[in-house]
Amino acid sequence: NKFIMRKLLFACFLTCFLSSSLHGQQKKSNGQIPVLAWVGVPESETTIERFKELKDAGFTHNFSFYSSADAFDKALRIAEKTGMKMVLNCPELKTEPEKTAKRFMKSKALVAYYLADEPGRSAFPELGQWARRIQTVDIKKFCYLNLFPNYAPASALGTDTYREHVNLFIKEVPLQVLSFDHYPVVGATNADVRDIWYENLEIFSDEASKANKPFWAFALTVAHGPYPIPTLPALRMQIYSNLAYGAQGIQYFTYQTPPNPEWDFNNAPITKEMKRNHVYDMVKAMNQEIRALSAVFLGAEVVSINHTGANIPKGTRR
């Protein structure tokens, strides 16, 4: 219930906060935790005004789908002027990875190369080869993709267990940064939380730590299917839990409402008509909190995570 979930979140957050705070002070980091907009400023709206709007909401990274390298180049130049970071995503990165990486690698606004979203086990060898081709040209930027959540079926994972899926991916695809998506809040009132969410965080954080690699995690900002329009408390629960488990980057799905004809929803921070709504204001407020706590969490090591209460989430430790 809501009371139990509040207790669980507080205990989880407090334990990590106290331990990582000291480590964060030792790091004396003046940086900011990356905040990425998934389905960010669309190609058709590639303007300084749109990028400033994204930055004003507290985002540091933009991820959009571009129809060509030239279209991405236009966005990259605007990102350089506005202080935004970009994830490269265009068809040429797949067909000519070395040439495309060479074209953009010197830009200070470029941070990553996008490979895929939620790949199955059978795709790992090809993704590993693709990443290595890019890395022969540019090892300073990272290759980027999202892994499935633990509620994906075995047929999608291609493995018997979720931990095996993550472990095999780390071994076979040489990424510098790991990422996964899991949207735990379901139901119309934002009161229902998937009972395997914290288990997902436990597994992913553990495997990333053993591989000595940072990981990024998500919060949901667009209603669709079983997922409701988010509230600020729901965003906080997702994001602070991610940070407590050691996430070094926060991602929102999505920034703009995707132009998907199958979705009747139009309630991401930026609507299909490119208008701001109340979710934009919530995300902006949330990102101000993330920025204020970046010195604590950025570069911090998770010492331990424990939960309290009459019932603790599956896969966690009391």
Side-chain angles (χ1 to χ4, degrees), residues 9-10 12 51 83 119 170 188 201 208-209 211 237 255 291:
L9 177 60
F10 177 76
C12 172
F51 272 74
I170 292 173
L201 282 168
S209 177
M237 186 178 66
Y255 174 70
R291 183 179 182 86

Short mmCIF file of all heavy atoms in Angstrom, two decimals, residues 9-10 12 51 83 119 170 188 201 208-209 211 237 255 291:
data_model
loop_
_atom_site.label_atom_id
_atom_site.label_comp_id
_atom_site.label_asym_id
_atom_site.label_seq_id
_atom_site.Cartn_x
_atom_site.Cartn_y
_atom_site.Cartn_z
N LEU A 9 10.70 3.32 0.46
CA LEU A 9 11.51 4.28 -0.28
C LEU A 9 12.38 5.08 0.67
O LEU A 9 13.56 5.29 0.42
CB LEU A 9 10.60 5.21 -1.08
CG LEU A 9 11.33 6.32 -1.84
CD1 LEU A 9 12.32 5.70 -2.82
CD2 LEU A 9 10.35 7.22 -2.57
N PHE A 10 11.81 5.53 1.79
CA PHE A 10 12.59 6.34 2.72
C PHE A 10 13.77 5.56 3.27
O PHE A 10 14.89 6.07 3.32
CB PHE A 10 11.70 6.81 3.87
CG PHE A 10 12.46 7.61 4.91
CD1 PHE A 10 12.81 8.93 4.66
CD2 PHE A 10 12.83 7.03 6.10
CE1 PHE A 10 13.51 9.65 5.60
CE2 PHE A 10 13.53 7.76 7.05
CZ PHE A 10 13.87 9.07 6.80
N CYS A 12 15.27 2.93 1.97
CA CYS A 12 16.20 2.65 0.88
C CYS A 12 17.03 3.89 0.58
O CYS A 12 18.24 3.83 0.45
CB CYS A 12 15.41 2.22 -0.36
SG CYS A 12 16.38 2.06 -1.85
N PHE A 51 15.74 23.84 -28.38
CA PHE A 51 16.82 23.31 -27.56
C PHE A 51 16.93 24.08 -26.25
O PHE A 51 17.23 23.50 -25.20
CB PHE A 51 18.14 23.32 -28.33
CG PHE A 51 18.38 22.08 -29.14
CD1 PHE A 51 17.68 21.86 -30.31
CD2 PHE A 51 19.29 21.13 -28.71
CE1 PHE A 51 17.88 20.70 -31.06
CE2 PHE A 51 19.51 19.97 -29.45
CZ PHE A 51 18.79 19.75 -30.62
N GLY A 83 24.65 24.52 -25.35
CA GLY A 83 25.21 23.79 -24.22
C GLY A 83 24.57 22.46 -23.94
O GLY A 83 24.70 21.92 -22.83
N PRO A 119 17.44 -4.97 -27.02
CA PRO A 119 17.80 -6.09 -27.90
C PRO A 119 17.62 -7.43 -27.20
O PRO A 119 17.80 -7.55 -25.98
CB PRO A 119 19.28 -5.84 -28.20
CG PRO A 119 19.77 -5.15 -26.96
CD PRO A 119 18.63 -4.26 -26.51
N ILE A 170 26.84 -7.84 -20.82
CA ILE A 170 28.07 -7.17 -20.38
C ILE A 170 29.30 -7.86 -20.94
O ILE A 170 30.27 -7.21 -21.35
CB ILE A 170 28.12 -7.11 -18.84
CG1 ILE A 170 27.02 -6.17 -18.32
CG2 ILE A 170 29.49 -6.66 -18.35
CD1 ILE A 170 26.87 -6.18 -16.80
N ALA A 188 -4.42 3.68 -12.77
CA ALA A 188 -4.89 5.03 -13.04
C ALA A 188 -4.50 6.04 -11.97
O ALA A 188 -4.43 7.24 -12.24
CB ALA A 188 -6.41 5.03 -13.21
N LEU A 201 16.39 -3.39 -9.87
CA LEU A 201 17.47 -2.51 -9.45
C LEU A 201 18.58 -3.28 -8.74
O LEU A 201 19.77 -3.00 -8.94
CB LEU A 201 16.92 -1.41 -8.52
CG LEU A 201 16.20 -0.24 -9.21
CD1 LEU A 201 15.47 0.59 -8.17
CD2 LEU A 201 17.19 0.61 -9.99
N ALA A 208 26.33 -4.31 -12.77
CA ALA A 208 27.11 -3.16 -13.20
C ALA A 208 28.30 -2.93 -12.28
O ALA A 208 29.42 -2.64 -12.74
CB ALA A 208 26.23 -1.91 -13.24
N SER A 209 28.08 -3.09 -10.99
CA SER A 209 29.16 -2.92 -10.02
C SER A 209 30.25 -3.97 -10.21
O SER A 209 31.45 -3.64 -10.19
CB SER A 209 28.60 -3.00 -8.60
OG SER A 209 29.63 -2.90 -7.64
N ALA A 211 31.02 -5.41 -12.92
CA ALA A 211 31.72 -5.10 -14.17
C ALA A 211 32.47 -3.78 -14.10
O ALA A 211 33.16 -3.40 -15.04
CB ALA A 211 30.73 -5.06 -15.32
N MET A 237 9.72 8.90 -6.53
CA MET A 237 9.94 7.53 -6.11
C MET A 237 10.83 6.78 -7.09
O MET A 237 11.77 6.07 -6.70
CB MET A 237 8.61 6.80 -5.96
CG MET A 237 8.76 5.40 -5.38
SD MET A 237 7.16 4.60 -5.16
CE MET A 237 6.63 4.44 -6.85
N TYR A 255 10.18 12.87 -23.64
CA TYR A 255 10.10 14.33 -23.53
C TYR A 255 8.97 14.86 -24.41
O TYR A 255 8.09 15.56 -23.96
CB TYR A 255 11.43 14.96 -23.95
CG TYR A 255 11.41 16.47 -24.01
CD1 TYR A 255 11.31 17.23 -22.84
CD2 TYR A 255 11.48 17.14 -25.23
CE1 TYR A 255 11.29 18.63 -22.90
CE2 TYR A 255 11.47 18.52 -25.29
CZ TYR A 255 11.37 19.27 -24.12
OH TYR A 255 11.36 20.64 -24.18
N ARG A 291 19.70 18.15 -9.88
CA ARG A 291 20.88 19.01 -9.99
C ARG A 291 21.42 19.37 -8.61
O ARG A 291 22.63 19.35 -8.37
CB ARG A 291 20.54 20.27 -10.77
CG ARG A 291 21.74 21.19 -11.00
CD ARG A 291 21.36 22.43 -11.80
NE ARG A 291 22.52 23.26 -12.05
CZ ARG A 291 23.35 23.11 -13.07
NH1 ARG A 291 23.13 22.14 -13.95
NH2 ARG A 291 24.39 23.91 -13.22
#
